[in-house]
Amino acid sequence: MMQDMGNYTLDADEIVRKSYGIVGRYVEGRTPEERIVQRCIIATGDPEVRNLIAFRNNVVEEGIRAVRDGVDVVVDVKMVAAGLNRRRFRGEVLVAVEHASSSRMTRAASGMYELADRIDGGMAIIGNAPSAALALADLIKRGVRPRVVIATPVGFVNAAESKEVIRSLDVPSITSVGTRGGSTWAVAIFNGLVHLAYEDQRSD
């Protein structure tokens, strides 16, 4: 039986090549945006993701610049931080739930408020908590200016609404539409930006 398993074992490069070959049937990958969407499809195994990613305000171009500049990145939960590609990205990653100070709101939301000065001029990534996305939107309305927002919180309570609010703001953003999303989506999007920023150096 173990000998038979060898027929199905592929090395990492072959897995990537075959994955992109399959995903290319759904999204060609001709533009930077399409290449990020391809990564989301591969990360989720769901071709329908191609209809659920929204790009606003030249976000890919600004994201590439922000990655190259090594700006601070504030994420909502540890799961997002754990998945980020750190081989090339030089910025500091801060986790909102680890900086929470208020018991009157969720830890993710409280941490976003506490880290407002790091979000200003940095990147904000929300992969799990709609409350963090709503807190981020409130901070932006108050004048905090992140260079890039990635928001893919998942769930039936405030997830879709919080992302609608993010999309309505005058900031570069990549969001998932509706109730679907999650940390895997957020990580795939950020890592796609890192790859685009450093593809000439074969960072990924």
Side-chain angles (χ1 to χ4, degrees):
M1 183 69 175
M2 292 299 293
Q3 290 179 339
D4 290 341
M5 286 296 291
N7 295 330
Y8 301 97
T9 301
L10 303 173
D11 64 25
D13 290 340
E14 182 69 3
I15 290 171
V16 170
R17 186 187 68 78
K18 289 199 169 193
S19 294
Y20 277 99
I22 293 168
V23 170
R25 302 171 191 168
Y26 305 102
V27 177
E28 293 183 348
R30 292 183 176 180
T31 67
E33 289 80 6
E34 286 186 347
R35 290 168 69 184
I36 288 174
V37 172
Q38 283 183 330
R39 281 179 169 262
C40 291
I41 294 173
I42 290 170
T44 61
D46 183 2
E48 289 305 310
V49 168
R50 69 189 187 275
N51 300 316
L52 300 175
I53 304 293
F55 299 85
R56 295 287 186 273
N57 300 313
N58 298 313
V59 64
V60 174
E61 293 84 352
E62 183 57 34
I64 289 171
R65 285 192 290 267
V67 166
R68 288 175 176 165
D69 290 344
V71 301
D72 290 337
V73 173
V74 175
V75 305
D76 57 338
V77 295
K78 294 179 181 179
M79 186 178 296
V80 174
L84 301 186
N85 182 343
R86 305 300 302 280
R87 285 175 288 177
R88 284 284 184 177
F89 180 66
R90 302 181 304 277
E92 184 176 358
V93 177
L94 302 104
V95 182
V97 295
E98 296 178 345
H99 293 264
S101 64
S102 174
S103 60
R104 294 178 294 125
M105 60 185 76
T106 69
R107 292 173 62 216
S110 175
M112 297 301 287
Y113 284 109
E114 291 296 321
L115 292 169
D117 60 331
R118 308 298 288 271
I119 295 170
D120 196 24
M123 298 177 68
I125 307 177
I126 312 297
N128 182 72
S131 61
L134 289 171
L136 175 62
D138 181 52
L139 287 169
I140 293 169
K141 291 175 182 178
R142 296 184 186 191
V144 172
R145 305 308 295 177
R147 288 179 62 175
V148 171
V149 172
I150 297 170
T152 61
V154 60
F156 295 103
V157 180
N158 289 331
E161 295 84 353
S162 67
K163 291 175 287 190
E164 284 283 357
V165 174
I166 295 291
R167 285 191 288 275
S168 73
L169 300 173
D170 186 25
V171 294
S173 68
I174 305 175
T175 58
S176 60
V177 177
T179 59
R180 296 171 65 183
S183 297
T184 301
W185 295 39
V187 167
I189 292 167
F190 177 83
N191 289 347
L193 291 174
V194 172
H195 181 69
L196 289 168
Y198 293 109
E199 60 185 341
D200 290 341
Q201 290 100 332
R202 298 179 181 273
S203 68
D204 218 33

